[in-house]
Amino acid sequence: MSGDITHRAAQWIAGGATLVAGSVLSDSAIEHYRGSFANKAMFLPLGASALSIVHDGNLAARGARTGAVGSWTSGTHAASVGVGAAGLGFHVYNIAKQPGGFSLGNFFYQAPIGAPAALVFAGALGAAAHALSSGASALGPVPLQSGRALAGFTALGLAGTAGEAALLHFRGAYHNPAMWLPVTIPPMAALALARTALTGRVHWVTTASLAATAALGLLGTAFHAYGVSRNMGGWKNWRQNLLAGPPVAAPPAFAGVAIAGLGALLLIRRFSRG
């Protein structure tokens, strides 16, 4: 029974990693296309995220235990983390070299910090999911079986995703009251999940707030698609309007992180019951 719960948690975490990687793939494809792929390294996150989708999506969907984690799978996740970390450095450098440096205006309109960080997150979650499915008790020095380290990591991811949403919705002047939802519900979920990581006790508020955050990711996609439709020409002019935004690919990241958090809760509940 314990092994079944562990594997089910691995599937949830792999599913969350797949959604985050899918969000990164779609978002980086659109944004880097807008940048005309001026730097050939801009193709790397597309490849890394696509490989993560294949490996993690397979674990999330098929339900069979993986056995020992192969070097190809490990290399895929390492590539996601490495490309994401390098991209984060590139994006920070891009902002720093602009007139005004790390100013609010540059954070608004230059290379987004959140996208490459999400690829790091997807790679790490995918590696953890495959390690759990193979029966490993830890990923390097990080313990996995109790779920508490994963819960803390997921809480950090939720906080970062909410922070990026807060920045971009502030740029949009919160003209629609629904724009407040991703800067209120996910931070509440992050705080509740962080508390669970520290105490090892799962409160219903944690589960409910994570479920609400997952639903919000899907709802946000619909809102953003509607926002695109309101641009000149609507979806008939999708080649321009997808570039103009709002980014349709961004909200699913909320759903992915929340689903991974729910997987961590499965482990914590199992561990607390002995």
Side-chain angles (χ1 to χ4, degrees):
M1 180 65 72
S2 176
D4 290 340
I5 294 174
T6 299
H7 184 67
R8 190 160 69 248
Q11 286 185 275
W12 279 74
I13 294 166
T18 302
L19 273 176
V20 175
S23 176
V24 172
L25 174 60
S26 302
D27 196 39
S28 60
I30 292 170
E31 295 299 325
H32 288 181
Y33 172 76
R34 179 164 63 180
S36 301
F37 290 94
N39 186 327
K40 297 308 177 185
M42 295 168 82
F43 285 102
L44 291 177
L46 278 66
S49 54
L51 287 173
S52 288
I53 291 169
V54 171
H55 283 277
D56 300 332
N58 186 40
L59 173 57
R62 66 194 174 95
R65 288 171 173 78
T66 61
V69 177
S71 58
W72 175 248
T73 299
S74 299
T76 295
H77 296 129
S80 292
V81 173
V83 170
L88 184 60
F90 272 119
H91 284 205
V92 170
Y93 172 72
N94 179 275
I95 292 172
K97 72 178 184 179
Q98 303 301 320
F102 295 110
S103 64
L104 194 58
N106 284 336
F107 278 113
F108 280 162
Y109 297 107
Q110 298 303 321
I113 297 294
L119 185 56
V120 174
F121 191 81
L125 278 181
H130 281 267
L132 279 169
S133 182
S134 69
S137 60
L139 182 63
V142 181
L144 296 177
Q145 292 290 336
S146 72
R148 293 175 66 174
L150 281 168
F153 183 64
T154 309
L156 183 63
L158 272 177
T161 308
E164 184 178 35
L167 177 70
L168 297 181
H169 285 190
F170 178 70
R171 185 181 73 181
Y174 291 94
H175 63 273
N176 186 322
M179 295 171 75
W180 287 100
L181 293 177
V183 299
T184 52
I185 295 176
M188 289 171 56
L191 287 173
L193 193 56
R195 180 181 179 276
T196 297
L198 291 172
T199 64
R201 294 190 297 272
V202 180
H203 194 275
W204 69 267
V205 171
T206 310
T207 305
S209 59
L210 284 173
T213 299
L216 181 64
L218 302 179
L219 180 65
T221 303
F223 269 117
H224 283 204
Y226 173 68
V228 170
S229 74
R230 296 186 64 196
N231 293 329
M232 184 70 71
W235 280 99
K236 291 181 180 180
N237 189 28
W238 62 270
R239 288 180 179 84
Q240 288 183 316
N241 289 339
L242 271 180
L243 300 179
V248 177
F254 276 116
V257 178
I259 288 170
L262 290 169
L265 293 190
L266 285 176
L267 294 171
I268 293 173
R269 287 194 182 96
R270 185 281 315 274
F271 193 82
S272 64
R273 291 168 185 165

